[in-house]
Amino acid sequence: MSQTESFNHILVKKGIQHQPLPVTLSSLEDDLQMIEDSLLNGAFDQAKAFAQSILDADPCNHQAYAYMVLIDRQMHSFDELLEAGEALDRDLNYKKAVYYGNQELAHFNALIKEKIFNASLEKIYYQSIYAYLEQDYFTCKVKLAAKLKEAQMFGYTHGSFYEKLILLKNAADTKYAAQKEEYIKFYRDELTSFVYFRNLLVDIDFKYDTSYSRDLERIIECHHRYLKEIHQGHFHKKRYDMNYEKECIMNDIQKLIDGYAALDQERYEEAYKLFRQMGDCFHVDEIRNQAKRLSKLQERYHYALTAYKEAHYYRALNAFSLCLTYKDSAQYYHQIKDILITKAIFLVKIVALIDLCFFMYMLYSNMPK
């Protein structure tokens, strides 16, 4: 099949009418046939040599430039080029072929670009279907509207996927309108809840000199902003995401309140566990570290106190030295030191008395009788 017949075969299937290539000299036709035979046999170097010889004799031969497009891509036929789905607009040989009058190749490139665009329509369609099923109707309608506008701009307003995109966009528009009203009500309810909890945190802020109510205020401002965006028709978060966010925030607030209550009751280990379980909504690093430090100090204090009551004074002294800042540890520490010093003095006196008695014994035993 010659180049012209190959183009005819593809273009006729697509319903495109064109003029046949002009009749050329027999020697040129033979060379072109040799190029096509070489391509079919995979002899690309040989095909390139034939094409170059034609261009050396006639630099304006559009058919040779068209075959060079295949040779550069190591392809056997124009059908293979269509299957590859690569547009030719940036190919220098393609530009020369069209410039010198090869309209069949220009039509062929249009078929390739149409195939590429239809593939992009198919991709956008399935992406939009996913967004639609995820109830992200805003993203769905925006993607579809942009792609449909692009299709209309380039004249690709036919084909099954174009029709499917229109149907899906209409469905997304309807769902989006209903979802918008639902979001507005939902965010208003959330604002009411958050304002209530912010008022609860004001008491903690006042008592412990913190700023948790201001942290929640930023979340409230964020919801105000979302509500404004919804009224303007721009929102991306899904309702169940907001429910999860609210649940996390409420859990954190409850843990925050319970944690400070545990601190007041000197249940430091429990407070530390509560603060550690909190998310990132509130900054509790400092109070969490404080609870951890107090928990360790409390543990050492109880150990030292037990050792003191059991008269293990050296063990108690060492333990109290590690928690001097906790409660009355410093008082116990100095008290134990006094006890140990008193014991040491007593032992010294005993040893001195024993030494004196031994000396007197030795002196008495050495006296003349």
Side-chain angles (χ1 to χ4, degrees):
M1 182 183 293
S2 67
Q3 179 196 23
T4 303
E5 292 172 343
S6 178
F7 278 132
N8 290 344
H9 173 69
I10 297 171
L11 297 176
V12 167
K13 286 196 297 183
K14 297 294 181 178
I16 298 176
Q17 301 297 325
H18 66 283
Q19 297 297 324
L21 291 174
V23 178
T24 59
L25 297 175
S26 59
S27 60
L28 177 61
E29 289 292 340
D30 292 341
D31 288 342
L32 292 174
Q33 186 62 47
M34 290 295 294
I35 294 174
E36 188 162 335
D37 293 340
S38 298
L39 288 175
L40 292 175
N41 295 325
F44 299 106
D45 292 338
Q46 181 179 345
K48 186 173 183 178
F50 281 118
Q52 192 61 53
S53 66
I54 294 174
L55 292 174
D56 290 341
D58 180 12
C60 300
N61 190 286
H62 62 82
Q63 294 169 298
Y65 284 120
Y67 278 121
M68 287 294 285
V69 172
L70 292 180
I71 294 169
D72 289 343
R73 289 166 172 75
Q74 302 283 288
M75 293 182 178
H76 302 83
S77 66
F78 290 96
D79 286 326
E80 190 174 343
L81 190 65
L82 180 62
E83 289 298 322
E86 178 185 353
L88 307 176
D89 299 80
R90 297 184 180 181
D91 190 299
L92 183 60
N93 288 317
Y94 165 76
K95 292 179 180 179
K96 290 180 179 180
V98 174
Y99 178 78
Y100 290 122
N102 197 321
Q103 296 302 314
E104 287 83 358
L105 189 59
H107 287 303
F108 191 75
N109 186 47
L111 292 179
I112 295 175
K113 291 196 289 185
E114 182 178 353
K115 177 183 177 182
I116 294 172
F117 192 83
N118 284 332
S120 69
L121 287 180
E122 182 178 0
K123 181 179 179 181
I124 288 294
Y125 174 75
Y126 287 114
Q127 288 178 349
S128 302
I129 281 286
Y130 178 79
Y132 185 90
L133 294 176
E134 289 292 315
Q135 300 181 10
D136 190 0
Y137 304 119
F138 176 80
T139 299
C140 180
K141 69 190 291 292
V142 168
K143 279 180 175 290
L144 293 171
K147 201 62 181 179
L148 287 170
K149 184 177 180 180
E150 183 181 356
Q152 293 166 3
M153 183 184 303
F154 292 104
Y156 298 121
T157 56
H158 56 278
S160 60
F161 278 103
Y162 179 82
E163 300 297 332
K164 289 180 179 179
L165 260 62
I166 292 178
L167 293 175
L168 185 58
K169 182 181 179 299
N170 293 336
D173 287 339
T174 303
K175 291 286 188 179
Y176 173 78
Q179 189 185 53
K180 179 178 178 180
E181 295 301 321
E182 183 181 0
Y183 270 57
I184 290 174
K185 181 180 182 304
F186 171 74
Y187 275 95
R188 284 176 178 165
D189 294 341
E190 294 304 285
L191 283 173
T192 303
S193 300
F194 285 135
V195 169
Y196 169 75
F197 281 104
R198 179 196 58 191
N199 295 336
L200 290 181
L201 293 179
V202 169
D203 293 335
I204 293 180
D205 290 344
F206 179 76
K207 185 174 181 180
Y208 298 101
D209 190 24
T210 58
S211 59
Y212 298 124
S213 61
R214 278 183 287 175
D215 289 336
L216 191 55
E217 185 67 35
R218 285 193 287 271
I219 298 173
I220 293 173
E221 291 174 0
C222 180
H223 273 66
H224 274 297
R225 186 165 59 253
Y226 283 145
L227 188 60
K228 181 179 179 180
E229 290 178 359
I230 292 171
H231 279 291
Q232 295 174 349
H234 304 288
F235 62 98
H236 310 283
K237 292 213 171 203
K238 305 177 183 62
R239 175 167 179 168
Y240 61 81
D241 288 339
M242 289 292 96
N243 278 331
Y244 177 72
E245 179 184 344
K246 176 186 174 184
E247 182 180 352
C248 290
I249 293 172
M250 301 316 169
N251 287 338
D252 282 345
I253 292 174
Q254 190 60 54
K255 290 172 184 175
L256 189 66
I257 295 172
D258 293 342
Y260 273 98
L263 284 179
D264 289 341
Q265 299 170 14
E266 297 185 358
R267 294 182 282 113
Y268 301 122
E269 185 176 358
E270 179 183 344
Y272 169 68
K273 290 180 179 179
L274 288 168
F275 291 135
R276 189 178 60 182
Q277 293 169 7
M278 291 183 61
D280 298 327
C281 294
F282 303 98
H283 303 287
V284 294
D285 293 343
E286 184 177 350
I287 191 64
R288 179 170 58 230
N289 293 335
Q290 182 181 350
K292 183 178 181 180
R293 182 178 60 84
L294 289 173
S295 176
K296 290 183 178 180
L297 289 176
Q298 187 182 54
E299 182 180 356
R300 291 168 181 168
Y301 176 80
H302 288 308
Y303 173 80
L305 196 60
T306 302
Y308 174 74
K309 291 178 179 179
E310 294 176 354
H312 299 152
Y313 296 117
Y314 287 105
R315 191 185 305 170
L317 184 69
N318 182 57
F320 277 122
S321 67
L322 298 176
C323 56
L324 288 175
T325 59
Y326 184 75
K327 286 189 173 183
D328 52 358
S329 296
Q331 180 181 344
Y332 276 112
Y333 179 78
H334 293 298
Q335 184 178 342
I336 294 171
K337 283 181 67 176
D338 292 340
I339 292 173
L340 291 175
I341 291 172
T342 302
K343 280 191 168 188
I345 293 174
F346 177 74
L347 289 174
V348 169
K349 288 181 179 180
I350 293 295
V351 171
L353 181 59
I354 292 173
D355 288 342
L356 179 60
C357 291
F358 180 74
F359 175 75
M360 293 300 294
Y361 170 77
M362 293 299 295
L363 183 63
Y364 176 76
S365 62
N366 291 329
M367 287 179 65
K369 297 181 181 179

